[in-house]
Amino acid sequence: MPQIFPFKAFRYNRTSSEMKLLVCPPYDVINDSLARQLRKNKQNAVHVELPQGTDDLKYARARKVWKKWTAGNVLRRDSQPAFYIYEQVFTSGNRNFSRRGFFCELKVEKPGAGSVLRHELTISGPKLDRLKLLRALRANTSPIFGLFADRRGNVRSILSGYSKKKETFRFVGPDKVLHRLWLCTDRRQCEVIMATMRREPVAIAYGHHRYETAWNYAQESVAVGARKALFFLCPAGDKGLVVFPTHRILKAGTLSGLLDRAEKMKSVFTLREVTGPKLQWRTFLLTDGKKFFKVAPRTSAALKSHMPGKPDVYRNLALAQVHSLLVPEKKKEDFIYSHDLRETLALARKIKTCAILVPPVSVDELYNVVRAGELMPQKSTYFIPKVTTGIVFRSLD
């Protein structure tokens, strides 16, 4: 089972009001425009999270910045180990949410063979980039986001208790998310948290490339902290876990072409035209942005016969049906991805192609799929908001 530990984080030695100018999103959701904007502040976390440049000199520049910040008291290391309780308060779909978890060190294990479970495969490019950065910094700048089963509610009770206390810092970021942080140094509470984590595996929600990079680095480094990685862990039952669907727009293809495919699979699917983009569990929609066709499995037995050897929780995923049965030959590069329904429909109309609309994968589905040893299709989940970079940093030295 996972082994987690409190740690001495490096944190910005700045006031709450200054923090909103110093944090940034994770590296893989920062576009060029946002990067230019963030880099205007010489102390923004982007300078170590996503260093500027196209050659390997950028990693040396990031190391120079890290040394300058830690030596010059821009970042200050806490004097005692702690679990860092972190809450994000945000709005989605006119509803208010609060997501609570904690930052910790987690002992890394061989990907796919330990108690840290993945739900998607990775690609080499991002892993090489993160490995070069890790070699240069010897520090974790952004956490891996993991989920765990808190069946007795012990951890949620501790997190809830901190939410009623005065924060170490509190600020509203540019994304309109309220960020709150507390330090948990209470020995009894820390032991409860660690004991809970020894009962259940961790499912990676976000950060697969960072986790595999942490493992790869652990095989080559003698750094004291190389066998562990920075994690943000959240109870799987937290009501603030919001997952967006990731719709697919074919770069080349037509609605009629996909309808023909679905029609030829009458033994497993039903197909009918519907009046709008209403999404339901275990079904998906085919659309050109104007007309909508609902594709649903006839029976569980039909799915089982066409997806043998897979657990029910996997077969019931709309995305699993799309990629296993409807378009098994399509690769990641054949699609444009969007989390926004209106954007998806507009793009399908603009490029005169077909979109595949899917319902969001629930947290329970994700956790149960990985517990069953299965991998989801790439880009199956999109958690919002992202865990912000710059709240805490972790040195490997």
Side-chain angles (χ1 to χ4, degrees):
M1 289 295 108
Q3 297 182 49
I4 68 164
F5 308 90
F7 69 107
K8 298 177 183 179
F10 274 98
R11 295 188 292 118
Y12 276 111
N13 185 24
R14 295 294 184 267
T15 64
S16 290
S17 61
E18 293 174 302
M19 283 295 295
K20 66 181 179 182
L21 302 176
L22 303 175
V23 297
C24 70
Y27 74 101
D28 52 350
V29 294
I30 301 176
N31 59 33
D32 291 342
S33 175
L34 179 57
R36 286 192 295 270
Q37 178 184 338
L38 294 170
R39 288 178 182 135
K40 292 177 182 178
N41 188 317
K42 298 303 181 183
Q43 294 182 354
N44 189 282
V46 72
H47 294 288
V48 291
E49 171 72 356
L50 187 64
Q52 187 174 10
T54 56
D55 55 29
D56 284 1
L57 291 176
K58 65 184 180 181
Y59 305 111
R61 287 193 290 270
R63 176 63 179 171
K64 185 177 180 180
V65 170
W66 175 258
K67 285 186 173 181
K68 181 179 179 181
W69 287 359
T70 54
N73 213 29
V74 173
L75 297 177
R76 184 170 59 189
R77 196 170 202 173
D78 287 322
S79 60
Q80 59 180 321
F83 287 128
Y84 296 84
I85 312 299
Y86 178 48
E87 180 181 47
Q88 291 169 290
V89 182
F90 59 100
T91 301
S92 177
N94 297 319
R95 291 180 58 196
N96 295 323
F97 294 91
S98 172
R99 186 175 71 194
R100 300 185 191 122
F102 62 95
F103 295 101
C104 66
E105 290 182 335
L106 185 147
K107 184 178 179 181
V108 297
E109 303 169 342
K110 185 176 181 180
S115 57
V116 179
L117 309 176
R118 56 187 179 172
H119 74 262
E120 67 178 22
L121 297 175
T122 57
I123 54 180
S124 59
K127 286 189 291 188
L128 180 59
D129 167 64
R130 292 296 97 181
L131 181 59
K132 289 180 178 179
L133 183 64
L134 195 54
R135 286 168 176 165
L137 292 182
R138 292 166 70 95
N140 297 139
T141 55
S142 56
I144 299 153
F145 183 3
L147 304 172
F148 66 96
D150 181 25
R151 300 187 189 280
R152 300 177 185 175
N154 293 334
V155 175
R156 275 175 290 175
S157 178
I158 292 173
L159 301 180
S160 177
Y162 275 89
S163 72
K164 300 175 178 64
K165 299 179 180 180
K166 182 175 176 56
E167 313 92 335
T168 300
F169 69 64
R170 171 193 183 107
F171 69 93
V172 176
D175 53 2
K176 309 303 181 185
V177 174
L178 171 63
H179 304 266
R180 306 173 73 200
L181 188 78
W182 301 263
L183 275 62
C184 173
T185 57
D186 181 275
R187 182 175 178 178
R188 184 190 64 81
Q189 291 178 329
C190 289
E191 288 176 348
V192 169
I193 292 172
M194 289 189 287
T196 299
M197 294 307 306
R198 287 193 291 268
R199 297 190 186 104
E200 299 283 350
V202 166
I204 296 177
Y206 183 75
H208 290 79
H209 292 89
R210 273 165 282 186
Y211 186 74
E212 291 194 22
T213 297
W215 170 258
N216 293 336
Y217 185 72
Q219 307 314 297
E220 68 179 42
S221 175
V222 295
V224 175
R227 290 281 176 178
K228 302 171 188 173
L230 176 62
F231 263 74
F232 171 72
L233 294 177
C234 183
D238 189 281
K239 296 185 184 302
L241 286 167
V242 177
V243 189
F244 279 6
T246 305
H247 306 302
R248 274 85 167 128
I249 305 101
L250 278 171
K251 292 180 179 178
T254 62
L255 175 60
S256 61
L258 284 192
L259 290 176
D260 286 344
R261 286 191 174 204
E263 189 70 31
K264 291 176 181 178
M265 301 187 71
K266 286 184 177 181
S267 61
V268 62
F269 289 130
T270 62
L271 176 67
R272 65 184 179 90
E273 187 171 1
V274 293
T275 56
K278 184 178 180 181
L279 293 164
Q280 297 174 310
W281 174 70
R282 213 169 73 148
T283 67
F284 56 94
L285 300 180
L286 304 178
T287 178
D288 58 1
K290 301 173 184 177
K291 295 182 177 181
F292 301 89
F293 294 84
K294 178 180 177 181
V295 183
R298 288 189 176 277
T299 62
S300 295
L303 278 182
K304 187 174 183 178
S305 67
H306 286 78
M307 300 171 70
K310 298 293 183 181
D312 286 340
V313 67
Y314 180 84
R315 286 193 291 261
N316 287 332
L317 294 176
L319 276 175
Q321 297 167 26
V322 168
H323 289 282
S324 297
L325 302 178
L326 186 70
V327 288
E329 81 286 359
K330 297 295 183 183
K331 297 179 174 57
K332 177 182 175 182
E333 298 75 20
D334 295 323
F335 299 99
I336 301 169
Y337 301 90
S338 175
H339 313 292
D340 184 271
L341 179 59
R342 290 184 180 180
E343 179 185 72
T344 300
L345 298 180
L347 193 52
R349 291 191 295 267
K350 180 179 178 181
I351 63 177
K352 295 181 173 56
T353 184
C354 180
I356 304 171
L357 307 180
V358 294
V361 175
S362 73
V363 173
D364 284 344
E365 285 175 318
L366 184 154
Y367 198 79
N368 290 330
V369 165
V370 298
R371 284 294 303 269
E374 294 293 336
L375 294 175
M376 293 183 178
Q378 285 193 317
K379 294 187 177 293
S380 293
T381 60
Y382 190 83
F383 285 82
I384 63 116
K386 296 301 181 186
V387 180
T388 299
T389 296
I391 303 298
V392 296
F393 300 96
R394 174 184 173 267
S395 173
L396 276 60
D397 294 322

